[in-house]
Amino acid sequence: MQPLLGRPDVLAPLDDGVWQVNVRTFDFRNASDPWCDVVMKATSLYNGDCVKRQTWNTSFEHKKEISHLEIVVSHGIWRKYDSQRQNLVGNGGKEIYAYHATSSHNVQSIAQDNLDWKRKPVHGRAYGDGCYFSEYPEFSLKYNGQCMLIFKLILLPNQYRRVKPNTQGYCEQIIMWDNSLFKPVYVLYF
């Protein structure tokens, strides 16, 4: 884990790895800090008053406080993902953010190699083979309450399966097989 040093203008020149930001001490008021938008996006995906959270009747504990976050940089994964993004428009796909909880000792390998449904699952595969994501952060936190990744997913027809969608179309689980259609973006620690 590399500490976030300096004030880089963009993520592109960074080396592959995870770049840590202490959310408790980060100055969100400093709009001139080039990291401000990146950190605000990551925290708002979890903390935000999103429609998805309001549509899911949860009995889980209230939102946890983020202690720190990491920004995942993996140029190889990004290249694969970006090549798939070109298929979005012509194939009726869409891009979303989704959550995947894991143990902190898995973060480095996920950041480097992405998820792979062929690896042995930690929590089983109740709905068959695949990599499991949720559109609800609280649902993912059931599986590990200390660490959660936020992924960007490309949903193309016939390339994923939705489990228990609600009337607004959000669902507890999205199962995917092709890891060029998702990439880790942020890691949240609680």
Side-chain angles (χ1 to χ4, degrees):
M1 177 172 18
Q2 303 167 20
L4 182 61
L5 300 173
R7 295 173 37 156
D9 292 332
V10 293
L11 296 177
L14 295 177
D15 292 333
D16 283 0
V18 289
W19 296 80
Q20 189 177 97
V21 177
N22 185 333
V23 175
R24 291 181 180 147
T25 60
F26 189 83
D27 184 3
F28 287 95
R29 296 165 298 167
N30 185 1
S32 64
D33 185 334
W35 284 99
C36 195
D37 288 341
V38 175
V39 173
M40 296 227 2
K41 177 67 173 179
T43 56
S44 69
L45 284 168
Y46 175 72
N47 287 328
D49 187 20
C50 65
V51 173
K52 293 176 198 170
R53 182 175 271 124
Q54 295 170 1
T55 64
W56 193 52
N57 186 10
T58 178
S59 61
F60 304 112
E61 63 185 77
H62 189 64
K63 291 185 301 189
K64 296 178 174 233
E65 182 182 345
I66 299 170
S67 65
H68 66 281
L69 70 88
E70 293 172 346
I71 299 159
V72 178
V73 177
S74 179
H75 298 287
I77 294 172
W78 289 359
R79 276 191 293 279
K80 283 192 219 176
Y81 182 88
D82 289 341
S83 71
Q84 291 288 355
R85 282 186 84 223
Q86 296 172 3
N87 295 325
L88 272 175
V89 177
N91 292 324
K94 67 178 182 176
E95 192 172 40
I96 67 165
Y97 286 97
Y99 307 90
H100 177 90
T102 190
S103 170
S104 60
H105 70 268
N106 293 332
V107 169
Q108 272 306 42
S109 68
I110 293 170
Q112 182 177 350
D113 301 322
N114 211 344
L115 292 173
D116 184 351
W117 68 267
K118 295 173 188 164
R119 290 186 193 141
K120 183 180 179 200
V122 174
H123 294 287
R125 294 186 173 139
Y127 299 100
D129 288 338
C131 296
Y132 285 62
F133 304 93
S134 179
E135 292 184 273
Y136 301 106
E138 289 85 359
F139 186 87
S140 286
L141 286 172
K142 290 189 328 181
Y143 294 94
N144 184 311
Q146 303 303 312
C147 179
M148 179 170 58
L149 287 105
I150 300 176
F151 278 78
K152 236 178 178 179
L153 280 57
I154 298 172
L155 301 180
L156 294 171
N158 303 315
Q159 296 295 315
Y160 66 98
R161 191 165 103 215
R162 295 170 88 68
V163 177
K164 299 183 182 178
N166 66 17
T167 56
Q168 286 82 21
Y170 303 120
C171 58
E172 288 181 0
Q173 296 183 350
I174 297 171
I175 304 168
M176 298 182 74
W177 307 273
D178 181 351
N179 71 1
S180 68
L181 295 174
F182 51 84
K183 69 177 180 177
V185 183
Y186 306 110
V187 186
L188 305 180
Y189 292 90
F190 305 95

